[in-house]
Amino acid sequence: MLDLLSKQLTWANFGILFAVAVLFLLLILGYVTYAIYFERKVIGWMQFRYGPNRTGPLGLLQTVADVLKLLIKEDTIPKKADRELFILAPAIAFVPSFAVLATFPFTKHWQFADLNVGLLYYAALSSISTIGIVLGGWASNNKYSLLGGMRSAAQMISYEIPLVMSMVGVILMTGSLNLRKIVEGQGDWFWEWNFLPQIIGFGVFIVAAVSELNRTPFDLPEAESELVAGYHVEYSGFRFAFFMLAEYVYTFAIAALTTVLFLGGWHPPIPFLGFIPGILWFLIKMAVCVFFMFWLRATLPRVRVDQLMGIGWKVLLPLALANIFLTAIVKELLR
């Protein structure tokens, strides 16, 4: 993939890149479909419930049926809504969630775009989804939607600051914003991965990432018990599906980013296991991260909004700042 991007762009190269991008999009859509299924099954198993078990063998077609239902459901737009922005908001929320995947190095040679500022690219694009959520709430011309959108914006902006700052320690250790170089800076022994020397940053990153995804216990923007269904209460059919699609694509993106920054990317935990292809190690680590998010949802209750903001500003932000200073001091002492 990198070889194609480095060559002069021809129609043949463009066709290959376009086909690979479409295939990757289909793979991501397949991931979303069955991530929802496995989330239901995992949470059901943890809470002594069955989960999907009727539609298709072992309930494997339940999510497919849900997607089909959303696609053929009537598309309603409130009469007094801002029609153009109402239609645009789901796309603004979804497109960045897919675009951020371009810079992830799944193996040493399999990467769509090897950007020197790959980490900055991710942080900048993921911020755009906040605009889509705010627009969706405001354009609906519904006070509940507006409150849900504004609260979601406050949460996502508040937690994006410690999320980005928790990555600074990794940048200081690696000396690069390039995601491939960050992985290459970690060794084939698991204690050489960044999660150990950056244990504070790793903890801050995990908590901030879960909040950034609006997932339990930080799913206040979609708190049915408080604000009906949050910022997307007026959406139905495939437009509602776009918001849900964006959330689950971001679970893929956050799991991949965690693997790249802290868990050694494609490196095996010990050199003896190096015969296993790097892409499998990458996917296994991602699966562990996704399972952890499902585990949290099955276990923890939702926090209050004052607790949510307090954790972000009073706990995570000071810890992220302390991690930056500690990393800088240690690097200076070890020079």
Side-chain angles (χ1 to χ4, degrees):
M1 188 58 60
L2 292 176
D3 293 339
L4 283 174
L5 290 173
S6 62
K7 293 178 181 178
Q8 182 178 1
L9 186 62
T10 64
W11 283 109
N13 289 344
F14 175 78
I16 295 172
L17 288 171
F18 181 77
V20 172
V22 171
L23 177 62
F24 190 58
L25 175 60
L26 293 176
L27 289 173
I28 294 299
L29 294 177
Y31 159 81
V32 170
T33 301
Y34 284 98
I36 296 171
Y37 167 80
F38 282 111
E39 180 170 21
R40 291 173 174 178
K41 294 296 282 188
V42 168
I43 293 177
W45 169 65
M46 289 182 173
Q47 297 178 345
F48 298 102
R49 295 184 288 106
Y50 286 110
N53 64 349
R54 297 300 181 92
T55 310
L58 302 176
L60 285 169
L61 297 179
Q62 180 61 57
T63 310
V64 177
D66 292 340
V67 171
L68 182 61
K69 177 192 72 174
L70 288 172
L71 291 177
I72 64 177
K73 195 173 181 179
E74 181 183 4
D75 177 33
T76 59
I77 299 178
K79 183 177 180 180
K80 294 187 178 181
D82 189 318
R83 186 179 180 86
E84 291 75 17
L85 293 180
F86 187 87
I87 294 171
L88 187 61
I92 293 177
F94 166 71
V95 171
S97 71
F98 184 67
V100 297
L101 304 179
T103 59
F104 288 124
F106 296 98
T107 68
K108 192 171 184 177
H109 304 289
W110 208 96
Q111 184 180 13
F112 282 98
D114 187 23
L115 300 181
N116 288 332
V117 290
L119 200 53
L120 188 61
Y121 170 87
Y122 178 92
L125 273 187
S126 62
S127 304
I128 297 175
S129 293
T130 307
I131 300 174
I133 289 174
V134 174
L135 276 182
W138 184 82
S140 298
N141 194 30
N142 178 312
K143 290 182 175 62
Y144 294 107
S145 297
L146 179 60
L147 287 171
M150 295 305 293
R151 188 164 70 174
S152 178
Q155 173 179 336
M156 295 178 76
I157 292 170
S158 298
Y159 277 82
E160 194 164 339
I161 296 171
L163 179 71
V164 173
M165 293 182 71
S166 67
M167 305 184 220
V168 174
V170 174
I171 297 169
L172 288 173
M173 291 182 62
T174 310
S176 175
L177 289 165
N178 185 296
L179 294 177
R180 181 173 56 81
K181 290 182 179 178
I182 289 174
V183 177
E184 290 174 348
Q186 302 173 72
D188 285 340
W189 294 97
F190 69 88
W191 57 76
E192 296 176 338
W193 298 349
N194 288 332
F195 79 95
L196 282 176
Q198 285 293 307
I199 189 65
I200 298 175
F202 180 56
V204 172
F205 179 88
I206 292 297
V207 177
V210 173
S211 180
E212 187 78 3
L213 291 172
N214 293 334
R215 292 184 61 84
T216 307
F218 305 114
D219 58 336
L220 291 178
E222 302 167 16
E224 302 90 347
S225 60
E226 299 180 36
L227 292 172
V228 285
Y231 59 89
H232 48 50
V233 65
E234 296 289 0
Y235 283 88
S236 65
F238 72 97
R239 300 191 201 281
F240 174 81
F242 263 81
F243 282 117
M244 294 297 100
L245 184 62
E247 177 182 327
Y248 277 90
V249 174
Y250 268 126
T251 64
F252 182 97
I254 283 293
L257 187 63
T258 307
T259 301
V260 167
L261 294 180
F262 297 102
L263 300 180
W266 60 79
H267 292 295
I270 54 177
F272 173 74
L273 298 174
F275 66 92
I276 299 175
I279 185 65
L280 288 181
W281 285 120
F282 196 98
L283 294 176
I284 289 170
K285 294 170 186 176
M286 278 187 57
V288 171
C289 295
V290 173
F291 175 80
F292 176 74
M293 286 186 270
F294 295 169
W295 188 5
L296 287 183
R297 185 167 186 175
T299 308
L300 299 180
R302 180 181 293 135
V303 300
R304 298 194 314 265
V305 65
D306 59 310
Q307 295 172 328
L308 172 83
M309 302 305 284
I311 292 170
W313 291 108
K314 297 178 182 179
V315 179
L316 298 186
L317 184 59
L319 283 175
L321 285 169
N323 180 63
I324 294 172
F325 282 108
L326 286 173
T327 305
I329 292 169
V330 171
K331 274 194 68 70
E332 186 64 25
L333 292 175
L334 295 178
R335 284 180 63 181

